Amino acid sequence: MTDPTTGRERRTVLKGIGAAMLAGGLAGCMGGGGGDGDGATTYWTTQVEQDRQEVIESLISGFEENADGTIDMVPVEEGDLPTQISSATASGTLPAFGEWGLDPMQNLGSEDLLSTESAESVVDSIGRDDFADGAMSLATSSEGNLLAVPAHGWVQGFWYRQSAFDEAGLDAPTSWESIRQAAETLHDPDNNQYGIVVGSDETPFARQCFTPYARSNGARVFNADEEIVFDSDAMVEALEFYGSLAQYSPPGADTFETANNTYLNEQCHMIMYSSYIMGDISSNTDGMASNTSFAPYIERDRRSSFGQLVLFNILDTASDANRETAEAYVEHVLTGDQYIEFLHMAPGGMNPVLQSTAESEAYRDNEVLQEWGQDTLSDISGAFDNIERFGYVDGQMIPAFGEITSRSLVAQAVRRVSEGEDARTVADDVASQMRDVIN
């Protein structure tokens, strides 16, 4: 089953790296200064699938034909990344650069281990104005430093069966009221039909689903002074609303697998999922893509979306030569046909952060993407400017949120209200746990 946070099947090992290496610590097998023992520039990527590695190897080969340096790609499972980064940091063997999401970037940036100079150089060379504003904002530290180079991303929203909505006279599920009305109207459990799927297990998926409800209501985990405000009235209201939707969701602890299965099996006509589902829907032979619409945000007091940004992080610990090679390679990948080849490794899931690419015919010239109308592709690209995460307040990163995430405290609150607990009680209890964690 495809994980909406990565677009890949769940795995428990590092692909391309032996079990002995994993047991001994990945970092210990690499040379210092961002290079391996042969002088190649080391590059970590969370693209562990064989077909994606083949594309990356092709891009590396094309780069090396016209470059002085060489690159050694090391695939690392996303779930193993925090441990491997911690081990490599302790031993002084971080790679020269890596491709990963916002949480590792925040953690490394807070330790001053990222080369902001390299990130600025690459972005300026490509063209700063071409990058989506939302992507640039997420990549910028509270001090105004660009920590990494945005590479691609996915957005999460409601995927819904347009014919079912038309037949029932329902509006697009973009507001609290339209979402509630659709869930109530479409819910018919006696006939194996559910009105909605909400993430209700204690997993990242539950936190991701809940985030835009909270943010659309103005609720935060932290305030601008980095104080916990999870027990605010706005958060309680969001938790209460989310919990009320759970009665229209399939029984039990619902995960991304529930959402994916029930939509593809037509047991639910409205699910929240990342844009990685586009490939699954497109592979359906009954024209499901043409009957699926996308609502990229939730709106109440304000408009909010959830998504993930994946970035090229160039490490300040790398040697000058390895940083220069990393900068040149990142610019190579984010330019022209190379960038389109890179994105097409996972069409729909890996979406461009460069506006010129998002609007290009060459990018849209893909079997999966062609099954979706231009409106859907534009909605996905535009949603980058509405992406919000609890680890940011007014554009400022809050590194302490990483500790809260590692303990699944937001997901715990979501699970508890989905099981019927009082929202005020849950918010007060979880806020207290959060304060204990950061203090």
Side-chain angles (χ1 to χ4, degrees):
M1 179 55 61
T2 303
D3 186 333
T5 65
T6 61
R8 54 179 63 103
E9 297 295 320
R10 293 215 171 204
R11 291 171 172 81
T12 57
V13 297
L14 294 175
K15 289 200 69 174
I17 301 176
M21 183 180 289
L22 176 59
L26 180 63
C29 300
M30 299 178 181
D36 63 17
D38 298 323
T41 299
T42 306
Y43 160 43
W44 289 9
T45 176
T46 53
Q47 308 297 339
V48 299
E49 294 76 15
Q50 185 62 40
D51 56 343
R52 298 189 199 180
Q53 289 180 45
E54 290 172 358
V55 172
I56 293 173
E57 289 286 10
S58 174
L59 290 168
I60 290 174
S61 295
F63 167 76
E64 291 177 342
E65 288 176 2
N66 300 296
D68 294 331
T70 58
I71 294 175
D72 181 18
M73 177 186 68
V74 179
V76 184
E77 279 284 357
E78 190 168 26
D80 294 316
L81 195 58
T83 300
Q84 300 303 338
I85 288 177
S86 177
S87 176
T89 301
S91 61
T93 54
L94 285 165
F97 69 114
E99 175 205 349
W100 48 62
L102 288 165
D103 290 343
M105 180 202 74
Q106 284 183 305
N107 292 335
L108 288 165
S110 68
E111 297 295 328
D112 295 323
L113 293 173
L114 295 177
S115 174
T116 60
E117 182 179 345
S118 291
E120 293 280 359
S121 176
V122 172
V123 166
D124 286 341
S125 181
I126 293 172
R128 184 176 296 266
D129 291 343
D130 200 12
F131 284 85
D133 291 341
M136 291 294 286
S137 177
L138 290 170
T140 303
S141 73
S142 57
E143 291 80 24
N145 298 316
L146 184 66
L147 297 178
V149 182
H152 59 90
W154 53 260
V155 296
Q156 189 157 289
F158 275 109
W159 302 86
Y160 60 100
R161 197 159 280 108
Q162 188 63 59
S163 61
F165 271 64
D166 290 344
E167 183 178 343
L170 295 167
D171 294 330
T174 55
S175 68
W176 281 27
E177 185 53 40
S178 61
I179 293 166
R180 187 205 307 270
Q181 183 177 7
E184 292 175 350
T185 302
L186 299 172
H187 193 60
D188 186 10
D190 290 341
N191 290 303
N192 203 24
Q193 290 289 317
Y194 300 96
I196 192 173
V197 175
V198 295
S200 57
D201 202 3
E202 204 162 305
T203 62
F205 181 62
R207 170 175 51 82
Q208 293 162 11
C209 288
F210 175 67
T211 298
Y213 289 96
R215 293 298 301 122
S216 68
N217 203 41
R220 302 181 186 277
V221 172
F222 291 93
N223 63 15
D225 296 323
E226 300 191 26
E227 299 168 330
I228 295 294
V229 290
F230 192 79
D231 47 0
S232 68
D233 290 344
M235 184 65 75
V236 171
E237 190 175 24
L239 285 168
E240 188 171 47
F241 179 76
Y242 193 91
S244 73
L245 293 177
Q247 66 181 304
Y248 305 111
S249 194
D254 292 328
T255 66
F256 71 88
E257 293 172 316
T258 313
N260 186 291
N261 287 336
T262 55
Y263 190 82
L264 295 180
N265 293 333
E266 300 192 41
Q267 295 172 281
C268 182
H269 300 311
M270 179 177 66
I271 63 166
M272 183 168 277
Y273 209 91
S274 81
S275 50
Y276 270 106
I277 201 173
M278 293 169 69
D280 292 340
I281 293 175
S282 294
S283 64
N284 189 290
T285 58
D286 65 358
M288 188 175 286
S290 63
N291 191 27
T292 296
S293 296
F294 177 59
Y297 60 83
I298 294 175
E299 189 168 22
R300 198 177 193 224
D301 292 339
R302 54 198 303 284
R303 183 174 293 186
S304 180
S305 301
F306 185 87
Q308 174 67 290
L309 183 66
V310 179
L311 313 95
F312 282 116
N313 297 247
I314 300 175
L315 279 296
D316 201 40
T317 52
S319 68
D320 290 345
N322 283 323
R323 277 202 310 275
E324 289 175 6
T325 299
E327 290 174 20
Y329 175 75
V330 172
E331 184 176 342
H332 172 77
V333 170
L334 296 182
T335 301
D337 291 341
Q338 297 89 245
Y339 189 37
I340 292 171
E341 182 181 4
F342 182 66
L343 296 171
H344 283 175
M345 289 193 296
M350 296 175 64
N351 295 284
V353 294
L354 298 178
Q355 298 171 54
S356 59
T357 302
E359 297 167 358
S360 71
E361 290 300 324
Y363 167 66
R364 297 169 189 161
D365 186 17
N366 172 269
E367 184 177 356
V368 171
L369 298 179
Q370 285 180 344
E371 289 203 44
W372 298 89
Q374 180 53 44
D375 288 346
T376 298
L377 298 182
S378 296
D379 284 343
I380 291 172
S381 298
F384 279 115
D385 289 333
N386 293 316
I387 286 179
E388 295 188 301
R389 299 168 69 96
F390 285 134
Y392 289 76
V393 177
D394 299 333
Q396 308 300 307
M397 293 182 189
I398 309 293
F401 185 67
E403 294 297 318
I404 290 170
T405 299
S406 68
R407 290 164 173 79
S408 300
L409 293 180
V410 175
Q412 177 198 132
V414 170
R415 173 187 59 77
R416 290 170 63 180
V417 296
S418 297
E419 291 174 350
E421 285 194 54
D422 175 69
R424 167 54 69 187
T425 301
V426 170
D428 288 346
D429 180 36
V430 172
S432 178
Q433 294 183 57
M434 290 177 174
R435 293 185 182 106
D436 289 341
V437 166
I438 68 170
N439 293 327

